[in-house]
Amino acid sequence: MKDFEYFTNMASEDPEGFWATRAEALDWFRKWDRILDETSTPIPTWFEGGRINATWNCVDRHVASGHGEQTAIRFESPFTNCSRTLTYAELLDRVSKLAGALSKRGITVGDRVLIYMPNSPEAIIAMLACARIGAIHSVVFGGFAAAELAVRIDDCEPNAILTASCGIEGKKILPYQPIIEDALNLARYTPNFVVFWQREEQPANLSGQPKHNAAVIDWNAAIEDADPVDCVPVDSTHPLYILYTSGTTGQPKGVVRDTGGYLTALAWTMNAVYDCPSEATFWAASDVGWVVGHSYMGYGPLLARCTTIIFEGKPVGTPDAGIFWRTIAQHKVRTFFTAPTAIRAIRQADPEASFLKDVDLSHLKIIFLAGERTDPDTLEWLAEKVGVPVIDHWWQTETGWPICANPSGIELLPVKAGSTGPALPGWHVCCLDDRGEEVAREDTGALAIRLPLPPGAAPTLWNAADRYHQAYLSRFEGYYQSGDAGFIDEGGYVHVMGRTDDVINVAGHRLSSSAIEEILAKHDAVADCAVIGVADQLKGELPHGFVVLKAGEPREAAVLKSELVAAVRKQIGPVASFKTVHIVQRLPKTRSGKILRRTMRQIADGQPVSIPATIEDPRVLDDYYQLYAAVC
Ligand code: COA
Ligand code: AMP
């Protein structure tokens, strides 16, 4: 642990010196005045006064230094049977022209641009085009329905939307035009224009008369018609993007990401954590709509001048459980990153890993997993079958990059299944009790991070600095509250065990149980409801709903259940994977009316049940024991 300790001590004893050295790896138009501004609110900010541009650092500087012919992006879409590559020079051409098309229509520094696109090079081009001209992008995951899109439109008030004519999910073609139109009809705010990237599987109708007032534009025509524009230097603290994530209420939180600090942290992690040097191939099998997609499908690998793979497919069924291994072999992937759910799906379909027999994975050095807890069994199976280290690492949309990991590029530490490794330099992870006191090693508590947070961590929430303070800084003074519980072992490794709030994690996707409850509660038959995350062998957790019907409700239970499932799918989207609703007589509550979700979860998961002394009527639980009798 010698080398790692050296870095950790340096970052902790002299954080400003440590991060200033890391920032030197980037091109700055103007150097910063102050490295760390402790006076800034709600949390300290990095590299105040510096001027930088993300796209310049991800694309232009590589072309300028003679690497234009290197492959920047490989697109693999088993959904459409399409493979494409883009060199850094081609990427520069597309990005600067799309940026030109946006500028020509008035988009400028600080304007928001919402991106609702499938996993594709075009989504990355869209992000980089915004960054090029200082527009703030906000990517919304394609699995969210119109109502969720509308909430985000109203919150960030985008001047433009960049989208595609359709997404593709296996054999399903999902037209985006109706989703965009519904969202714009629901939203209070209307952008000036919407650009459609036309896909041949289902082009959008661009000549019709939409009900909204936004102009509708064809992506290719806009680009052909535009002159390329140069990168615009922006403040280091300028928001590069807003990424919405689920909180404890139905209203998503717009996590803001600054530019200079984020790029500094990402560039450093590409080597220190992921051990992926320039020219090597990095593959994060995630989606552009999630933070992993932003940090390690887009910005991180491009900053490091790696080749990044964009994959539009599933780990299984497109066409089989060997697709990940064949893609890794074909493109000589060095570092691979995916979610534990994907590995569980592959294992379920191919328990003996027979698809590994015919592939050459000799270039693969290491696999990283994140997004949810990795059960030791899955981690060990994968490490044994593939024969490379498998690293579980912990992070959040808010942090932008990993908090804890095995720092394989500095030194590969012993892997402990069930743990996410030690805190990386810059993150002071502590395990606290309810009073904010540090608990003993191995004891469970709330995982919190002592301030200041390192560069790249979200400095605020969009239009909601107070909410940032309330959600993350108010519980433990001087600390960022992660919302996760766990423990730190004797060796300093952090074990993340689950959320302390009502956020649930479905297939590595973060969802708010309150958002689902709000939809159930609106149904005219429902008097009361609760939603909990129940352990699932494939997706980690699945949301289960419990509804109490209004007295005298005449409709059949099966009809009501399917209406409730359909309502959640329509309003949140298929990504919620909401398929289970139980009609119950009563919800278990305390005498003060608080729903005992933790107790419900314990019963559903077949775990030892702790019943608070304040329960109103313990007999209510009998129904729940019966519902989950098979697991108990
Ligand atoms: N656009 C539209 N719909 C989408 C979508 C998208 N981008 N992504 C998922 N969906 C839909 C799916 O089609 C599915 O719809 P259905 O109910 O009609 O079948 C639903 O949302 C749930 O999708 P998913 O959770 O992906 O389940 P699945 O059964 O299709 O696939 C796995 C199961 C395990 C293969 C899949 O969940 C997976 O690959 N998980 C890994 C997730 C991941 O990489 N997360 C990144 C975190 S770092
Ligand atoms: P998201 O913001 O969508 O990336 O989700 C972040 C949340 O996912 C964290 O707060 C954790 O609850 C969970 N999470 C992410 N990575 C891990 C991990 N390696 N182990 C356990 N939980 C994780």
Side-chain angles (χ1 to χ4, degrees), residues 209-225:
Q209 256 312 319
K211 278 197 227 133
H212 54 78
N213 291 325
V216 173
I217 295 165
D218 174 82
W219 177 292
N220 284 336
I223 285 184
E224 270 161 33
D225 199 27

Side-chain angles (χ1 to χ4, degrees), residues 339-355:
T341 302
I343 301 303
R344 289 196 295 267
I346 292 173
R347 184 182 181 188
Q348 226 172 54
D350 182 23
E352 295 311 317
S354 55
F355 283 108

